[in-house]
Structure formats: C-alpha cells, structure tokens
Amino acid sequence: MNIKKILKWLGYSLLVVLAVISFFIYRAYDYTVHNVAFDKEKFPEINTEQDLDKLTHELISNMTLDEKIDQMYGQTMGEGIATLGINHLLFDRLPHFYVAGNERLNIPRFAFSDGPRGVKSNKERTMGDKKGVTSFPISMSRGASWDLEMESRIYEVIAKEMRASGVNYTGTPTVNLLRHPAWGRAQEVYSEDPWLMGEMGLQATRSLQKHNVMSSVKHFALNSIENSRFVVDVEVDERTLREVYLPHFKKVIQDGNVASVMSSYNKVNGIYAGNHKYLLTDILRNEWGFDGFVINDFMYGTHDAVASINAGLNVEMPFQQHYQHDTIKQAISDGEFSETRIDELVFDTLKTQLKYGLAQDPMEYPDAIIATADSIALTKEAAEKGMVLLKNGYDKNTNVLPFSKSAHQTVAVIGRLADVRNTGDKGSSGTFEPYVITPYQGIADYNKKLGNKVVLDNAADLNASKALAKSADQVVVVVGYTYVDEGEFLLASDEANEAARLGKRTGEKADGGDRESLKLLPEDEALIQALANTNENLVVVYVGGSGIDMSAWNEKVPAILFSWYSGMEGGNALANILYGDVNPSGKLPFSIAKQASDYPYFTPYTEKITYGYYHGYTLFDKKDIEPAYPFGFGLSYTNYDYSNLIIANSELTENDSLRVSVTVTNSGKVAGDEVIQLYIGFANSAVDRPVKLLRDFARISLEPGQSKVVELEVAAKDMAWYNPQAKAWQVEKMNYELYVGSSSADQDLLESQFTVQ
C-alpha cells in the first residue's frame, strides 16, 4: 500500500470518527425530552389515601425485580453522563434529569431541575429561542426581605415555569444553616436562624407543590461547608443537632408535607448522610412521619448500595452508580435485605409520583407563561425588598441617601463589577435569563430621565477613580464577588478530597467554593480606601451572598448598602432604592461581626469539623460580643417607633400559645415597610440555652404618621429544648423574657415577661 492510499485511508477514518463524535454530540445536545404527564385515563380515580396506597401496591406487584430496581435510580450512567457532560461543558446548560418510569405499566419518568432562584434546566428556553427564564434574587436576599407572602408568590412563578419547561421535581428549597459567612453556598439559603429559614422554606415548598411540582428539601443534613463537602465528617452532639440544625427541615417536612428529601454529601458523626439510618429512617420517617422519598446529592452522595438501601435512600441520582441490578440482587441473595425492602423503597417513590402526577392541576402551563411582564415585575420587587441599608451618613443628621433627583448632576458609578451581569452562583442554583440589568445600566437609565450625566469607571486606575469621585455630585462604588469567588465548588472531586485531607488548598482554586477570607478582594479593598474621603455623597454597594469583614473601611465611608446578587432586574431595583422611589426595608438575615475571629471556627479544607450549639446572634449574645451589625438590622428612609407592648395571656401551659401585640408608628415623612421581630428569652433556664431566639415576625406597610397594632403569637411547644437523656422535647415551667422590636440588638427591643406553668 503506497503512501497516498494510507493517507487517503486515514482521512476517511478520521472523517468517520469525526462523524461519529458529531453524531453523539448532537444526540446529547438534542436529548430526548420525555413527557412526564400521566395518561390519567389508564389509571383509576384517586379519591382517598387508601386508593393511592392500593394503586401503588398493585403497580409494584406487577413489576419484576428488575423493573423495581429501575425505579431506584435516575438514568443509566452511559446515557446520563454523556448528556450532562456534553451539555454542561460544550453548551453551558444543564439538561433535565429523568427518573424511573415504566412504559409497560404506563408510568412516565419524572423530570428534575434545581431552582433556588429560577428554573435551572430548561432545554428549549436556553438553547432554542434564547428567551430564558425569570431569574430572581438569591435566596439570602429574599431572606433579608422577611416577606413570607412574597416568597410564596416567587415560588408560584418558579413552579409554573418549571411545569411549562417539562419539569415536575425540583431540588429546592435549600435550608442548610448559615453557620459561618465564608460558606460558599450561603447565597442559596435564607438565614443563619432556624426559625426564619424554616418559615421561608415552608412557603417555597407549599407554592411548588400547589402546582404539582414535587419539592425536595436539601441537603439533609449539616451541609454548611463547601470545599470539603464530599469527605468532611461533621461532629455534632444531639442537642445541637435537634435544636439548631434540624428544626427548619422538620418544619418544611411536617408542615409543608414535602414530597422528597435530598441527603447531603458529608458524614455526620462518622457516617455518610446517604448511609445514615438514624437520620433517614429513625428521625425522618419514624419520628417525623415523612412518607415521601429520599434521594442522594448528585454523583458523590452514595457510596454503598447495601448501606444506603438499609438506611432508607430510595433513589440514586442522577445516574445509576451503586444501585446496580447485579449488586442489589446479590445483596438479596446474601441476606443483606429482602426484596420486600426494595418494595418498601419503591413504594415511597411511586406513591409520591402518583400523588402529584394524578392530581388535578390548578391551571395549564403553556410556554407563554415563562418570563412574563408580571414575573419580571416580581423579581424587581424582590430585589427592592431584600436590599439592606446598613449605614446612611456618619451620624443621624447627615443622611446620604436617598440621592437628590436634581438635574444637571454628574453621577459616578465606579468598580470592576459596576457593569457586570452578576446574578451569582453558576452551579445548581444558576439560571439562564433573557437579560440582566447591571448596577450601571439601572443607574444610567434612571438618570437619563433626570437629565444627569452618568460616568462608568471600572476602577482600573485608582488615581483616575479618585479624581472622578471628587468631581462627581454622587458616587456609587460597586464591590463584591461573582460566581468565581463563591458558590457551588466545581473543582474535580479527587482534587477537593486531597485538599481536605491535607487541610489546605492544592493547585489553583476552581470557580466557586468557600471564601478563604471574609475581606473583599484586594482590588475592592484598595478602591474603597482610595475613595473613602473623596465625597460626602458616596455609597458603597456590596454584591454578594453573605457577610463580609468591613472593619478596615466601615467607619470611613458615608453609606453602605447590601444589594446581594439581585437577579435580572437588580440594576433597576438599585436605582429605585438610591433615589428614594423605593424605601429600603431589608433586614439582615445574619449577624455581621466586627472581626472575623468572633465567628465560630471554619476552614474550607478539612476532613473533620465540630458544629457547636452557638453561632450567629446566639453566639454573640452568649459571649456578650457586640456585632458590627446585628441580626435583623436594617435602616430606612423613615423612622419607626414601638410602643404599648401587651401580652394577652401572661400565664400559660405548655399546650397554649403566647399572644402578643405591639403598636408600631411611622414617625417619619415617607411611607415604608417595617419588619417586627419577636424573640423569646431563657435567662431562667436550668440548662444552657441561648439568651434569646427568634420565634415570630411580621412585615407591615405604614404611611407617614400611621400606626398599626401588630399581633404576634408563639406556641409554648416552640420554646422547648431537647433533652437527649429523655430523648424528648421539654418545655420548661419558668418565667420567660419577651422581646419585640426592629432588630436583635438590645437597644432596639421592648421587653416584658411571662410564665409557663
């Protein structure tokens, strides 16, 4: 064979290889979108719980063992990994994840998408007509709104857009506790406080399931560290587990009747959460009465099929890794568990799928309901309500905001993030939206109608930035983070595991993950220091997902506004806040310490860590540490006065509820919203307890001069502590303190007492 023939043969071979590769890439790109709807004519009408149980048992009894095992994982590894890898790496999108199904028995697959701030996976909308979905501010921003009714409306939109996208199962809400502000995924959760977290998560779950989207609350449990999440062993005592890290899960599971629970990657007291019978069966099912199904966190959340099956993990997601047919059959043969155990796990999943799949939908879900004008208006409202004004002038008599609306002014918008589309994490909470209004765009558009000049400066030259700030009438300094700095850690698991083992970073840091410093990036710190004394009409706008160390510049700048990752309409919302069209009303959903050493111990790279009983405001209260900004704090453009705190029943039994009222008056000149917070104090406790705990709150609107009587209520059972010796919750019979006010700080609270007899 001569050289020409060899080259010709190699050329044809290469073309064939390229054609095959292109075919598989196209097939992965154009993956099959399964219809997740039941053909209801092929199933009996379901009117009672007994009807549902009977149908589920009948379907399982008609399955072979192989068909039962098919209900216990998402997709096969080959099919799933090719679809995920090609779509994620080549097309920057996340495909739907499909689960279970049985064509012979007319059971469709169900489809999973994440959704903390909008629909994550959406094939047609992200790669077809490019319209995208509604992208809301991050969960932490919505936690800062303390607005339960708004969170319900937000998840109504997300649920509708999921259904329109062909999704009926979602990995949200995320209710892991913010234990330390450096946690990379803080933006996906609502608060450092279990009560606020649980109340917000409950609204999310109810709204999702109202539209027959099965909600999977995550990550169960103790997942509050990111870089070491695959290997870290979290040590926790029983009281801390029960009182601090589980109450919000319990509320969503019991009060929200959540369909599903996602276990976490980490170990809990030496056992991986996906293998943890105490968590997944003893507590979740036997104590809390959970009757839905449990999945693992994706890819690295299962380790041993036998241990997970015996622990109560129903479905391995998103691919079949350990729940292999041969493995499960061999375990049955070896007596590790019986086929009846498989029936039990399949029953939980299938019954839940039937419950939502055969239910009557409250509406239809056409493509046209995605990213509507009303939905976009809601995301702007959410951004406005979540922004927290921390500082507004060097003293109470020199307010910087709202800015003047006078014409012929020069407005300087300075910072490397000032004109960046920056909606937060690109991991499981990322979204594909039709557009994003940056801070600069929002401010420029607003000032265009005022006849003002807006100058954008990316802060590449500090001397030039300083000169601009000095000459401008108004200065907005935008600092903070992007998905590169914090978020879901997207480093390969073997590198992450090695870093955790060594207790330090190895190699280059990948996108996301925990923050290794609470300070802003050096370039932002330098920018603030350079501009600190240049202009009295200057505001530092922080973009990010959690608390930061402001100690180096907090006293040097006139005003500070936390705008978070504020969604697709964030820039417009920011302008409305800065110029007073909207009165800021957000309140911190976490405490900000004066110095990083005041927080609990935290490191991103570790194989073991202990979670203590105290963190956040409970820690600062207990140690009498004054924070830089307390939990629940936020300024307004008006003033609110609290008076006439009344307890309707100052003596109650452990079966009663405390009923309280307080009068709140807007004593300023502009309308606004106030968040009233109720805390219970435990100074007389016979055991170690927090100084006080949040136990109710309300958000109200007040016109100038208007007063409202706000009624609050706390069940005595919600004042209980967990006695690990008795393995029971106990309400102490003693005198309690009642605190009601505008933040958790002592000076912001009215105080009274009551007794549980």
Side-chain angles (χ1 to χ4, degrees):
M1 183 180 292
N2 60 36
I3 190 67
K4 288 185 177 180
K5 288 184 177 180
I6 292 174
L7 291 174
K8 186 176 181 179
W9 180 83
L10 289 174
Y12 283 139
S13 299
L14 181 60
L15 287 173
V16 170
V17 170
L18 289 174
V20 171
I21 292 174
S22 298
F23 172 75
F24 281 109
I25 290 175
Y26 176 76
R27 285 294 302 272
Y29 162 75
D30 193 37
Y31 66 90
T32 302
V33 176
H34 295 279
N35 183 2
V36 299
F38 277 87
D39 183 347
K40 295 180 181 178
E41 293 184 358
K42 296 181 179 178
F43 292 88
E45 185 175 339
I46 302 297
N47 295 310
T48 65
E49 188 81 6
Q50 289 73 25
D51 291 342
L52 190 58
D53 286 349
K54 180 181 178 182
L55 174 60
T56 307
H57 282 302
E58 287 177 352
L59 288 169
I60 293 173
S61 68
N62 285 318
M63 291 181 184
T64 66
L65 178 56
D66 281 318
E67 287 177 319
K68 294 173 187 175
I69 297 172
D70 285 341
Q71 310 305 304
M72 297 177 65
Y73 58 86
Q75 295 166 264
T76 59
M77 177 62 80
E79 174 193 15
I81 202 70
T83 303
L84 172 62
I86 290 171
N87 278 278
H88 181 66
L89 295 176
L90 297 185
F91 303 114
D92 192 28
R93 66 171 182 172
L94 197 69
H96 294 344
F97 294 107
Y98 290 99
V99 189
N102 185 306
E103 187 175 349
R104 181 177 69 85
L105 297 175
N106 301 307
I107 302 170
R109 301 187 187 191
F110 52 98
F112 177 96
S113 171
D114 268 302
R117 65 175 193 259
V119 185
K120 172 66 178 179
S121 60
N122 189 319
K123 178 180 177 182
E124 289 76 15
R125 303 297 290 195
T126 59
M127 296 305 297
D129 57 18
K130 297 285 186 180
K131 288 182 180 179
V133 300
T134 307
S135 177
F136 288 95
I138 58 169
S139 299
M140 191 65 78
S141 169
R142 290 158 13 222
S145 78
W146 298 61
D147 193 327
L148 299 179
E149 186 272 339
M150 185 178 71
E151 187 67 2
S152 177
R153 287 188 285 132
I154 286 171
Y155 268 101
E156 286 251 359
V157 170
I158 293 174
K160 292 173 185 177
E161 295 195 4
M162 284 183 173
R163 290 297 306 275
S165 303
V167 169
N168 60 355
Y169 179 39
T170 183
T172 191
T174 307
V175 297
N176 295 109
L177 211 61
L178 177 64
R179 175 181 172 270
H180 189 282
W183 179 37
R185 294 180 78 171
Q187 62 190 272
E188 290 187 47
V189 306
Y190 297 106
S191 178
E192 71 178 31
D193 179 76
W195 189 269
L196 178 56
M197 181 88 78
E199 291 294 299
M200 296 294 282
L202 181 59
Q203 298 304 314
T205 296
R206 284 174 171 169
S207 288
L208 286 165
Q209 297 187 166
K210 171 183 175 181
H211 292 277
N212 293 319
V213 176
M214 295 179 288
S215 171
S216 184
V217 64
K218 65 182 187 184
H219 311 82
F220 191 68
L222 295 146
N223 180 21
S224 297
I225 186 171
E226 183 62 11
N227 293 13
S228 305
R229 59 182 170 158
F230 300 130
V231 297
V232 65
D233 182 8
V234 180
E235 296 180 329
V236 64
D237 65 54
E238 192 70 10
R239 271 198 71 194
T240 302
L241 176 70
R242 297 288 190 147
E243 293 184 34
V244 182
Y245 289 94
L246 293 189
H248 34 296
F249 280 101
K250 184 179 181 182
K251 182 171 289 185
V252 171
I253 288 162
Q254 291 190 326
D255 296 350
N257 195 24
V258 76
S260 178
V261 172
M262 180 187 289
S263 65
S264 56
Y265 289 123
N266 52 280
K267 297 175 185 175
V268 177
N269 292 331
I271 303 172
Y272 280 110
N275 297 345
H276 214 297
K277 183 177 181 293
Y278 183 62
L279 287 175
L280 301 186
T281 296
D282 296 348
I283 293 178
L284 190 58
R285 295 194 184 279
N286 297 343
E287 290 188 32
W288 294 355
F290 174 67
D291 62 358
F293 62 98
V294 178
I295 66 170
N296 60 285
D297 202 349
F298 284 21
M299 301 290 288
Y300 307 109
T302 51
H303 301 269
D304 182 300
V306 172
S308 289
I309 286 170
N310 282 326
L313 195 140
N314 303 80
V315 178
E316 183 177 39
M317 288 290 287
F319 317 130
Q320 183 187 36
Q321 295 173 268
H322 298 275
Y323 279 20
Q324 299 286 340
H325 288 68
D326 290 347
T327 301
I328 293 175
K329 288 178 179 178
Q330 186 64 50
I332 293 173
S333 177
D334 292 344
E336 300 281 1
F337 48 75
S338 66
E339 186 172 345
T340 300
R341 179 57 177 160
I342 302 302
D343 292 349
E344 292 170 349
L345 294 181
V346 174
F347 180 88
D348 298 331
T349 308
L350 182 56
K351 178 182 175 181
T352 306
Q353 184 188 7
L354 290 167
K355 174 183 175 180
Y356 289 93
L358 296 178
Q360 184 71 35
D361 284 328
M363 59 178 285
E364 295 183 353
Y365 303 94
D367 186 71
I369 67 173
I370 296 178
T372 65
D374 286 345
S375 299
I376 291 170
L378 179 57
T379 191
K380 182 161 72 72
E381 176 190 341
E384 292 166 350
K385 286 184 173 180
M387 292 186 185
V388 181
L389 182 61
L390 291 183
K391 186 176 181 182
N392 192 17
Y394 293 113
D395 56 62
K396 293 182 179 180
N397 301 316
T398 58
N399 289 343
V400 176
L401 300 176
F403 282 147
S404 165
K405 298 181 184 180
S406 298
H408 310 301
Q409 297 189 101
T410 297
V411 182
V413 184
I414 304 173
R416 60 189 178 84
L417 301 180
D419 197 29
V420 174
R421 293 167 57 105
N422 188 14
T423 56
D425 173 69
K426 286 194 175 182
S428 60
S429 72
T431 53
F432 298 90
E433 54 282 319
Y435 64 85
V436 176
I437 304 297
T438 69
Y440 165 72
Q441 288 173 325
I443 293 167
D445 288 346
Y446 191 95
N447 276 278
K448 186 176 181 180
K449 64 187 178 184
L450 300 179
N452 290 332
K453 178 183 179 181
V454 178
V455 180
L456 173 65
D457 175 16
N458 65 7
D461 182 339
L462 287 184
N463 288 327
S465 299
K466 190 171 183 178
L468 173 61
K470 285 182 177 180
S471 65
D473 297 292
Q474 300 164 357
V475 182
V476 181
V477 185
V478 183
V479 297
Y481 306 112
T482 71
Y483 71 93
V484 174
D485 308 305
E486 60 180 3
E488 186 167 5
F489 196 44
L490 301 181
L491 186 67
S493 64
D494 54 348
E495 288 186 61
N497 295 350
E498 178 67 6
R501 186 182 69 79
L502 296 174
K504 62 182 180 179
R505 185 207 301 181
T506 57
E508 293 297 318
K509 183 181 182 297
D511 289 351
D514 303 310
R515 284 187 275 132
E516 295 178 35
S517 171
L518 293 182
K519 292 185 180 294
L520 295 171
L521 300 186
E523 50 266 48
D524 282 350
E525 291 277 336
L527 175 64
I528 296 173
Q529 293 290 355
L531 304 186
N533 297 308
T534 59
N535 198 309
E536 292 183 354
N537 288 322
L538 180 148
V539 57
V540 174
V541 175
Y542 163 67
V543 179
S546 184
I548 54 176
D549 182 351
M550 299 181 282
S551 58
W553 49 268
N554 181 57
E555 300 297 328
K556 298 179 181 180
V557 298
I560 303 170
L561 179 71
F562 271 36
S563 73
W564 317 104
Y565 300 110
S566 49
M568 59 189 289
E569 278 285 321
N572 289 332
L574 175 61
N576 286 341
I577 292 283
L578 294 178
Y579 288 93
D581 290 17
V582 173
N583 190 350
S585 57
K587 302 273 191 172
L588 284 176
F590 50 75
S591 311
I592 300 178
K594 287 186 174 181
Q595 52 191 8
S597 59
D598 290 339
Y599 293 111
Y601 172 75
F602 179 88
T603 177
Y605 302 103
T606 181
E607 288 188 297
K608 185 168 289 188
I609 194 167
T610 299
Y611 285 5
Y613 186 62
Y614 293 103
H615 75 284
Y617 73 88
T618 63
L619 177 66
F620 298 160
D621 279 353
K622 198 69 175 181
K623 291 191 173 183
D624 198 23
I625 297 172
E626 183 181 6
Y629 295 100
F631 175 77
F633 175 80
L635 297 174
S636 170
Y637 295 154
T638 190
N639 298 307
Y640 301 101
D641 297 332
Y642 285 70
S643 63
N644 202 27
L645 177 60
I646 297 175
I647 297 178
N649 53 336
S650 58
E651 296 183 356
L652 53 152
T653 71
E654 60 184 274
N655 297 316
D656 294 331
S657 291
L658 179 72
R659 300 188 305 279
V660 175
S661 66
V662 65
T663 301
V664 183
T665 302
N666 181 346
S667 58
K669 298 180 179 180
V670 296
D673 285 8
E674 171 67 333
V675 177
I676 297 91
Q677 302 158 43
L678 182 154
Y679 298 83
I680 300 296
F682 306 95
N684 297 307
S685 176
V687 296
D688 181 33
R689 300 199 67 178
V691 173
K692 62 179 180 292
L693 289 171
L694 180 72
R695 280 300 178 264
D696 199 10
F697 59 90
R699 182 182 173 112
I700 62 170
S701 299
L702 290 169
E703 295 296 320
Q706 183 182 10
S707 296
K708 284 186 179 179
V709 176
V710 179
E711 295 182 347
L712 302 163
E713 186 172 336
V714 186
K717 66 180 179 62
D718 290 324
M719 305 172 200
W721 70 289
Y722 187 80
N723 186 333
Q725 281 71 44
K727 296 183 178 180
W729 289 90
Q730 296 179 349
V731 179
E732 291 183 278
K733 296 180 179 180
M734 65 177 189
N735 293 327
Y736 291 80
E737 296 77 46
L738 168 70
Y739 304 98
V740 177
S742 60
S743 88
S744 63
D746 291 345
Q747 65 269 23
D748 293 333
L749 295 167
L750 301 179
E751 183 179 353
S752 189
Q753 294 82 34
F754 65 95
T755 303
V756 176
Q757 299 177 328

